[in-house]
Amino acid sequence: MAADVLIDLDDESLLNRLQESREELFNLRFQNATGQLTNTARIKQVKREIARCLTEARAREITAAEAMSIAGDAVGEDTDAEDGENR
C-alpha cells in the first residue's frame, strides 16, 4: 500500500489499518515458525506497511500539536500577574 492512500484515510481508519497489519504480521510470523509460510517476502511488506501507518499517525500528531500551539498563541500572550509583563 502506498503512503498516499494512508494520507486519505481518517484517523480511525488509519488505526484500524495499523491494527490489521499488526495482526497479519503476527500470523505471518507464526506461519513462518511452523514452516507453513511460502511467501516470506510478505513479512517485510507488512512491516513496511506498519511503519508507514505509524509515520502517518505521528505526522498527524505533530500537525495537531502545532495547531494547538498556534491557537494558544493567538488567544493571548502569557502575562506575569505580579509584574504585568509579557513573556
Side-chain angles (χ1 to χ4, degrees), residues 77-87:
E77 299 203 9
D78 258 345
T79 58
D80 191 359
E82 296 174 7
D83 300 341
E85 293 181 36
N86 288 338
R87 290 186 179 187

Side-chain angles (χ1 to χ4, degrees), residues 51 55 57:
T55 301

Side-chain angles (χ1 to χ4, degrees), residues 9-68:
L9 296 177
D10 62 347
D11 291 342
E12 186 177 336
S13 297
L14 181 65
L15 293 177
N16 286 340
R17 180 74 56 126
L18 177 60
Q19 182 63 31
E20 291 170 2
S21 295
R22 285 181 170 166
E23 289 175 7
E24 182 179 0
L25 181 60
F26 174 81
N27 291 332
L28 288 171
R29 285 178 171 163
F30 195 87
Q31 289 175 6
N32 192 35
T34 60
Q36 297 175 352
L37 186 62
T38 57
N39 183 8
T40 56
R42 183 68 184 142
I43 293 174
K44 185 175 181 178
Q45 292 170 348
V46 174
K47 283 183 178 181
R48 287 185 178 191
E49 185 174 329
I50 290 170
R52 286 186 187 105
C53 289
L54 290 172
T55 301
E56 179 59 27
R58 180 65 179 143
R60 291 179 187 189
E61 287 178 19
I62 291 170
T63 303
E66 288 175 351
M68 294 277 291

